[in-house]
Amino acid sequence: MPRTGSVDRRGVLRLAGGSLAAFGLTAAGCGAGGGSGDGSVTIRYAWWGSDDRAKRINETIALFEEKYPKIKVKTDFQPYLDFWKKFNTQASGGNPPDVFQNAIGFLRKYDEKNVLLDLGAQVEAGHLGMDGFRAGLEKFGEVDGKLLGVPVGSNSMALVIDENVFRKAGITPKPGWTWDDFDAAMVRIRDTQGRAGDSGMYGVMYLYDLYLRQHGKAFFTAKGLGFTEADLKEWWTKAYAGVRSGVYADPRKVAQIRPKSALAAELAGCEFTWDNFAVRYTSEGRSGYGLAPIPTTDGKRTGQYLGSLMLSGSKRTEHPKEVAQFIDFMVHDPEVAKIMGYDRGVPTTTAQYEAFEPTDEVNRDIAAYEDQLVASGVLEEITPHPSGADVAESAFLRLAEELALGKRSVDDAVRQFFSESKTALGR
């Protein structure tokens, strides 16, 4: 959009939101959540993410406060791990934010701790609309009949490839290709392109979940783990062999170049990750990058589902109506989509999906990838994770890396994972 010397009201609000964010403040000021003499209320909104996400979110909040002048929003954002440390402290003290960014791994955990607001009553009251969502995503935040989260952006696992490497190696991944096809491709890349095939899939919990789903299992059930020690031993034995043979990238080198990805650093030819993360490779690397389909066991079933970040409310909020109105605005208003883009995934509602038309090739590829998944009919439902799933996921990632670095044997890593997970999951 061309810029002129004049700035409209929305522009002023956006600039104000960005300036305040730079000083760690918000348009709502510094006070605690509550009400005031003029009938206005303040709600607290917290999320994790980068400075860029913070800037975008502050712009959307400025638009919300323009539409709802009686509702002020005080914001707080942190990096992922710091966010949950602070949130745990707030929740334990009975003072969580009124509304906050959430993920499926935390729904049951905080529901059992009596932290999450069931938004169903607000839907019935007409303050929150749950129509117009894509691909059944309106059900994503439901647990045991309660609406505990509303999705704001969808994503799915994908294989991000260095297109130049795959082309030179003569490899063209197509829907329905198998794990045997994938393994052969990784060997070919190693032998012909002077780098590892993959960055290291052994620690990607959500990829392993898809592999298990292809075999009629899942990483989590509603109550605990959905696989056995023998299953994990098979997965990690193959991973260990792949690292030693050079099919997967050297984990020591991968650790040295973090936070840059092994794919962008040219240590590997591909990497499994969420589709909306594909944007990072273009900014980090020198090659062209694309999205390839997930390998299958039978040539058909990928085990995939659409995941999503969500917005949840606090059960302790004094302003459930305003929280619902805020969430409704953030998932339905077209202007929000134009500001956020695919920062939190592809917009979950049709109105927002149609409002944002990506101009760059990477984001167009992300949208096309998800459209293809929906059209192909391969998508499945995700099981809401049990309480303690976040601890199990952290253990999986840590132990997989220790295994890859040679600090643990496969048997030791498997035993330790099940020991820690059973403690975290309470079963």
Side-chain angles (χ1 to χ4, degrees):
M1 177 184 295
R3 295 187 179 274
T4 65
S6 64
V7 180
D8 62 14
R9 187 176 177 218
R10 284 196 169 194
V12 171
L13 286 167
R14 291 179 183 178
L15 290 171
S19 300
L20 290 167
F23 290 95
L25 304 173
T26 71
C30 305
S36 64
D38 64 357
S40 66
V41 301
T42 297
I43 59 174
R44 295 158 50 219
Y45 173 34
W47 72 90
W48 67 83
S50 64
D51 289 339
D52 180 64
R53 178 176 291 178
K55 180 177 180 296
R56 292 171 186 267
I57 286 180
N58 273 282
E59 288 185 29
T60 67
I61 288 172
L63 296 184
F64 173 77
E65 291 181 335
E66 180 183 12
K67 182 175 180 179
Y68 294 95
K70 294 290 187 179
I71 306 175
K72 306 302 179 184
V73 184
K74 181 179 179 182
T75 67
D76 182 25
F77 82 99
Q78 310 282 338
Y80 181 79
L81 294 178
D82 292 336
F83 171 89
W84 287 112
K85 289 179 182 177
K86 184 172 184 177
F87 184 85
N88 281 330
T89 300
Q90 292 173 324
S92 297
N95 188 38
D98 297 278
V99 60
F100 54 94
Q101 188 170 288
N102 204 353
I104 195 165
F106 300 92
L107 288 184
R108 288 188 183 276
K109 175 178 181 176
Y110 288 109
D111 183 40
E112 290 182 6
K113 292 179 179 291
N114 211 31
V115 172
L116 301 182
L117 174 68
D118 182 357
L119 292 160
Q122 297 304 317
V123 175
E124 293 179 4
H127 303 141
L128 171 61
M130 293 303 293
D131 54 347
F133 281 80
R134 300 169 39 244
L137 282 164
E138 69 277 3
K139 301 290 186 181
F140 191 79
E142 292 185 3
V143 174
D144 300 332
K146 293 177 286 187
L147 180 60
L148 302 180
V150 179
V152 294
S154 69
N155 55 16
S156 190
M157 287 298 297
L159 179 65
V160 182
I161 65 172
D162 185 318
E163 294 177 321
N164 293 329
V165 168
F166 271 65
R167 184 177 62 254
K168 291 177 181 179
I171 303 166
T172 305
K174 296 180 180 179
W177 72 326
T178 66
W179 285 105
D180 288 340
D181 297 329
F182 172 80
D183 293 339
M186 298 303 97
V187 171
R188 185 170 179 80
I189 290 173
R190 180 199 64 188
D191 293 346
T192 65
Q193 302 303 307
R195 68 175 73 175
D198 186 77
S199 65
M201 52 192 258
Y202 39 82
V204 187
M205 188 202 86
Y206 289 97
L207 175 66
Y208 185 45
D209 183 34
L210 301 191
Y211 182 80
L212 289 167
R213 284 169 173 267
Q214 292 176 17
H215 290 81
K217 301 183 179 182
F219 197 99
F220 290 117
T221 68
K223 296 182 178 180
L225 298 176
F227 61 100
T228 67
E229 291 188 25
D231 293 327
L232 183 55
K233 181 176 180 179
E234 177 186 9
W235 179 258
W236 273 348
T237 296
K238 179 180 178 180
Y240 185 82
V243 170
R244 296 302 171 264
S245 68
V247 171
Y248 303 146
D250 184 337
R252 292 166 297 183
K253 293 181 179 179
V254 173
Q256 289 171 359
I257 55 95
R258 284 177 183 155
K260 192 173 186 178
S261 68
L263 176 58
E266 301 180 359
L267 296 178
C270 62
E271 183 167 283
F272 288 98
T273 188
W274 297 107
D275 56 17
N276 65 306
F277 288 2
V279 176
R280 71 174 289 197
Y281 301 99
T282 300
S283 62
E284 288 182 352
R286 302 180 297 176
S287 189
Y289 305 95
L291 296 171
I294 296 293
T296 70
T297 299
D298 60 4
K300 298 178 182 179
R301 186 180 185 185
T302 67
Q304 285 173 276
Y305 44 80
L306 288 183
S308 179
L309 289 178
M310 292 174 279
L311 295 180
S312 293
S314 164
K315 200 167 189 176
R316 287 181 173 268
T317 183
E318 296 178 357
H319 311 292
K321 174 184 175 181
E322 289 78 8
V323 165
Q325 290 173 321
F326 178 80
I327 295 175
D328 183 84
F329 181 86
M330 290 301 168
V331 298
H332 290 290
D333 189 275
E335 293 301 315
V336 170
K338 294 177 183 178
I339 294 170
M340 295 305 302
Y342 290 173
D343 178 81
R344 295 178 298 192
V346 178
T348 53
T349 57
T350 301
Q352 290 196 341
Y353 180 79
E354 294 177 347
F356 176 70
E357 298 182 6
T359 57
D360 61 290
E361 185 176 357
V362 176
N363 278 313
R364 287 199 298 267
D365 286 347
I366 294 170
Y369 180 77
E370 290 203 8
D371 283 344
Q372 186 273 328
L373 289 178
V374 174
S376 65
V378 301
L379 292 175
E380 304 176 4
E381 292 185 5
I382 184 173
T383 302
H385 296 184
S387 178
D390 55 319
V391 178
E393 180 180 354
S394 296
F396 187 85
L397 177 63
R398 186 189 76 253
L399 292 166
E401 183 170 26
E402 291 177 2
L403 167 66
L405 291 168
K407 296 180 179 179
R408 289 182 184 270
S409 67
V410 172
D411 287 341
D412 183 36
V414 170
R415 282 195 301 268
Q416 186 63 28
F417 171 76
F418 272 80
S419 175
E420 292 185 28
S421 295
K422 287 178 180 178
T423 299
L425 300 171
R427 50 185 65 84

